[in-house]
Amino acid sequence: MGKSILLEHGSGGKLSRNLIKEMFIKYFGNPVLNNQTDSALLNTDSNLISFTTDSYVVDPLFFPGGNIGKLAVCGTLNDLAVSGAIPKYISVSFILEEGISFEDLELIVSSIADEAKKADVLVVTGDTKVVNRGKCDKIFINTSGIGILDKKYKHISTGENIKAGDKIIINGTIGDHGMAVMAARDFAGFKTDIRTDCACLNMLITDVLDAKCNVKFMRDATRGGIATILCELTENLNIGIEVDESQVPVKEAVRGMCELLGFDPFYVANEGKIIMIASADDAERVVEVMKQNEFGIDCSVIGEVTVNHKGKAILRTGIGGTRIIEMLSGEQLPRIC
Amino acid sequence: MQYIDEYRDKEIVGRIIKKISSLTTREIFLMEVCGGHTWAIQKFGIPSLLPKNIKLLSGPGCPVCVTSRAYIDKAIAYSRLQDVIITTYGDLIRVPGSSSSLNKEKSKGADIRIVYSVLDALQTARENSSKKIIFLGIGFETTAPASAVAIINAANEKLDNFYLFSSHKIMPPAMTAIIEEGVTIDGYIAPGHVSTITGSRIFEHIPAKYGVGCVISGFEPLDILQSIYLLIKQIKDNNFKVEIQYKRAVKPEGNIKAQNIMKEVFTLRDDWWRGLGILENSGLKINEKYSAFDAERIIQVNVEELIEEDGCICGDILKGVKTPAQCGLFASQCTTANPIGACMVSNEGACNAYYRFNK
């Protein structure tokens, strides 16, 4: 049997030092982190700094197409990237439950390193705490991220330039992550080939912005699905939105699982999907550029900003009816009968 | 997707809407009994497609909606017992009791587990022999056979720690009671899943005695629209009967095996329905033979005093005499995030569906 995490690994003593050296520095090592200072000293220039943080507590730790480590990098980087920033640095902090295996931890840490490398960001600081068995569920991870934001993209995170006629674009199929995790929980004996869509989207976003497309808004559709973003947008900016259900890409397996469970894929979590709003003139070009990137092949224009029904997101259903898209409250639960 | 897309064909939907519109201009009230229908009707935006003279009312077929607050209070009391694990379908945990909910008790440390099948609850019993596992049995003829199977299995395995707290109900008495109360209904979109078990004959007294047609419907948009068409045709022809639209699942005689399993375990009793009060022989009680698995008989518990919510009109909504929009609490105090009445909790509840898709 391999080594396990002990409470002492979080004590700040020798075992902690060893863990940092043999695990985290080994994988994350870079000139900034190697200094092992209390806070990382970072170079910047006259642009804005974008800063975000998020915690990850997914169960199970490993699921088809990813694990908690990959998620912890992608989630935070995507939060930076959708503001228009170029992600540069992240912190990674672990809360470990005593008894978890080094093998699992190493798999997770190496995923973090892989994703960070692919996304061209450095892990520059971190922390580890080990808690008694039962005090956390195996591994919790917090990551914070810093990105550099060119001032000309300041409007993207607020969506202040959105106007009627703008097009709403998604970079691919919805609901993959939520259903992959649910299937990985051995939920109701499901056997599926659904994989998480978990991916760092900063390169995709850079491609679109570099193509000088007039992007007015971006947000990553994570927990609560795309419905939550659309509702937030309409409420916060008091705009109307109309979405055409038939244009929203959903994988057959995801749709099937949702049908069976009574879930609506609009509310299912994604980890590699952005809702982008672009001017009508540029929407086609956005689609063209996205399709060149592996994370945008299935992109689609799903709707538009409207003059009518301000404050509401309206869905044109597949059969031609209309209804409101409402914010999710609580968790989606399977229907009883 | 095969067997789904065929029932969601936009062009055929358009054609059937046209046919429905051409049948009559008089005002017609149809009640969809089953919560699954309520959910599908709202999800697909069917009311936005129907001509204005066709009104759909939501009926009493949402399991958590009709369940009494006293039942929730008792489930909460059970959950507070040290040696008990509550197993339940997910919807129930958010239903408000007099002063708490199962969800709140869970956050305070009660062992309450959401299961997707009663057989998962049985498995929990096998794995936790030192605990008493209580399954909260709600729902109609759809979920009752599964509860019965669990009890029969528990008896065969001699499991002595599995209990059912039954609030199972049967559908026909409620459908009769709504007409008897004088609610204007011109036809029932009859429950599809219930009918797969019961067959179509249980509804035959409704057209015969009351002149109200029943069409047993599937759950896809074209199923529901075809059922609406058939009901209006019955009204136009003045020929009221029970028809099965959902032929791919429902047979006139139903599922005899499931019916026999229910008969083996349950006996009828008078039961309380939100909005309808006590209806004779409308509930399912575990019979003498299996009484060792009846939570109510075996596990005694003190239940707090019942406090019903003022101003909540779930009862009238379930009968179809009022709509969610007519409730003073709707969308102000009572929301999907903070439900006051049971109809706001479940996906299948009229208030929940109306709130999410029409607010």
Side-chain angles (χ1 to χ4, degrees), chain A residues 215-227:
Chain A
V215 175
K216 304 210 175 165
F217 175 81
M218 287 187 280
R219 184 148 308 162
D220 55 337
T222 53
R223 273 177 311 165
I226 65 167

Side-chain angles (χ1 to χ4, degrees), chain B residues 72-87:
Chain B
I72 303 292
D73 285 346
K74 192 157 191 182
I76 287 167
Y78 280 139
S79 79
R80 289 172 178 163
L81 298 177
Q82 282 304 313
D83 57 345
V84 161
I85 298 174
I86 299 283
T87 50

Side-chain angles (χ1 to χ4, degrees), chain B residues 74-116:
Chain B
K74 192 157 191 182
I76 287 167
Y78 280 139
S79 79
R80 289 172 178 163
L81 298 177
Q82 282 304 313
D83 57 345
V84 161
I85 298 174
I86 299 283
T87 50
T88 174
Y89 296 129
D91 273 7
L92 207 58
I93 71 165
R94 295 180 61 225
V95 179
S98 291
S99 69
S100 182
S101 69
L102 290 166
N103 216 8
K104 284 184 188 154
E105 295 302 314
K106 185 166 179 271
S107 70
K108 284 189 221 158
D111 196 342
I112 297 169
R113 303 182 188 180
I114 292 174
V115 293
Y116 299 93

Side-chain angles (χ1 to χ4, degrees), chain A residues 25-249:
Chain A
I25 298 279
K26 175 180 161 192
Y27 281 96
F28 302 151
N30 61 60
V32 183
L33 184 66
N34 293 353
N35 289 335
Q36 295 192 48
T37 46
D38 273 347
S39 68
L41 300 179
L42 314 171
N43 282 319
T44 179
D45 52 31
S46 60
N47 281 314
L48 292 169
I49 284 181
S50 168
F51 176 54
T52 188
T53 187
D54 211 336
S55 297
Y56 301 85
V57 297
V58 64
D59 171 44
L61 296 176
F62 299 90
F63 40 84
N67 62 51
I68 190 171
K70 184 177 181 183
L71 204 60
V73 178
C74 298
T76 293
L77 289 197
N78 289 343
D79 280 347
L80 293 173
V82 293
S83 70
I86 295 174
K88 291 286 186 190
Y89 308 104
I90 58 167
S91 70
V92 180
S93 294
F94 294 93
I95 295 174
L96 307 174
E97 184 183 19
E98 67 170 323
I100 69 145
S101 74
F102 260 77
E103 199 186 338
D104 281 354
L105 181 60
E106 189 155 10
L107 277 172
I108 289 163
V109 169
S110 64
S111 285
I112 294 176
D114 285 349
E115 284 306 312
K117 196 172 169 198
K118 273 193 266 175
D120 199 19
V121 299
L122 300 178
V123 177
V124 290
T125 183
D127 178 49
T128 310
K129 296 284 184 292
V130 179
V131 296
N132 282 305
R133 195 166 268 233
K135 296 293 174 191
C136 89
D137 188 8
K138 299 183 275 295
I139 297 182
F140 293 163
I141 302 177
N142 170 276
T143 54
S144 295
I146 286 179
I148 304 298
L149 178 67
D150 192 320
K151 280 180 178 147
K152 70 181 176 201
Y153 298 134
K154 231 170 68 178
H155 62 278
I156 290 178
S157 51
T158 60
E160 62 204 45
N161 292 353
I162 294 175
K163 66 176 201 315
D166 289 345
K167 298 290 182 193
I168 302 163
I169 302 155
I170 187 142
N171 62 312
T173 54
I174 62 168
D176 300 7
H177 177 73
M179 286 299 122
V181 170
M182 197 154 248
R185 283 179 191 159
D186 202 21
F187 178 85
F190 272 102
K191 296 277 174 288
T192 76
D193 56 1
I194 303 169
R195 294 165 68 80
T196 176
D197 60 343
C198 179
C200 291
L201 301 174
N202 53 326
M203 299 303 183
L204 173 81
I205 290 169
T206 303
D207 289 351
V208 174
L209 293 178
D210 284 354
K212 305 233 177 324
C213 298
N214 185 3
V215 175
K216 304 210 175 165
F217 175 81
M218 287 187 280
R219 184 148 308 162
D220 55 337
T222 53
R223 273 177 311 165
I226 65 167
T228 302
I229 305 229
L230 297 169
C231 292
E232 277 173 4
L233 251 181
T234 50
E235 272 178 37
N236 296 347
L237 298 175
N238 195 31
I239 54 171
I241 278 179
E242 241 178 71
V243 172
D244 186 347
E245 190 174 28
S246 65
Q247 296 306 310
V248 180

